[in-house]
Amino acid sequence: MISVFEGPLCCNTGVCGTDPDQALVNFTADLDWLRRQGVTVQRANLAQDPAAFAGSPVARAFMQVAGADGLPLVVVDGVAVSTNRYPSREELAVFAGLASAAGCCSGDAAGANAPGCCGSNNDSTGPSTGGSSCCGGSAPQALPLENTSGSAVQL
């Protein structure tokens, strides 16, 4: 399961009003794509669903250390995998186990056609753009959380 904890937004997705943030539009589309692939996704923002933050030991610990300025926080099966930015569709595919870092992101021709990978022909909407570690970057990895003194935080 992928859980996304976001800062306060005007609505549950932040995609509202006359001029929504394009990063939120892209991320919302990427989460919808994950759901169509059969991935369970939970999304909570601090203004609309503070109980979700309180109910998650990872989110609670994260908020104590980084606060709302560190959001969004992406948690996969109880492990923080991304903070302070929205991950790309390619990263989400790896987090969800839809694509392997070795196949999708390494340039392996067989893995390049996996769902969610760069150059995939399996999704008419194609990969999301911007900030991707796919196609030449390193595979996303779980991030250590640090407190202000610089020592690692155990969750």
Side-chain angles (χ1 to χ4, degrees):
M1 174 185 347
I2 296 179
S3 300
V4 181
F5 298 92
E6 299 172 277
L9 301 171
C10 58
C11 63
N12 63 347
T13 64
V15 181
C16 47
T18 59
D19 190 26
D21 182 347
Q22 189 61 45
L24 286 171
V25 172
N26 292 346
F27 187 68
T28 298
D30 292 345
L31 291 182
D32 288 342
W33 175 83
L34 276 179
R35 288 182 184 106
R36 288 192 309 271
Q37 307 307 309
V39 177
T40 302
V41 177
Q42 291 181 332
R43 189 173 184 182
N45 81 60
L46 198 51
Q48 304 289 324
D49 195 5
F53 285 75
S56 166
V58 175
R60 217 174 33 247
F62 179 82
M63 292 297 288
Q64 291 172 346
V65 173
D69 289 341
L71 298 172
L73 166 67
V74 179
V75 176
V76 178
D77 297 329
V79 177
V81 294
S82 177
T83 64
N84 207 34
R85 67 178 180 82
Y86 289 102
S88 68
R89 180 175 293 191
E90 293 81 14
E91 290 172 305
L92 290 167
V94 172
F95 296 159
L98 297 176
S100 71
C104 172
C105 298
S106 69
D108 177 0
N113 289 320
C117 288
C118 301
S120 171
N121 294 322
N122 295 332
D123 182 350
S124 62
T125 62
S128 64
T129 59
S132 171
S133 67
C134 198
C135 297
S138 61
Q141 299 183 12
L143 303 174
L145 302 178
E146 293 188 9
N147 63 25
T148 55
S149 69
S151 61
V153 173
Q154 295 294 326
L155 298 178

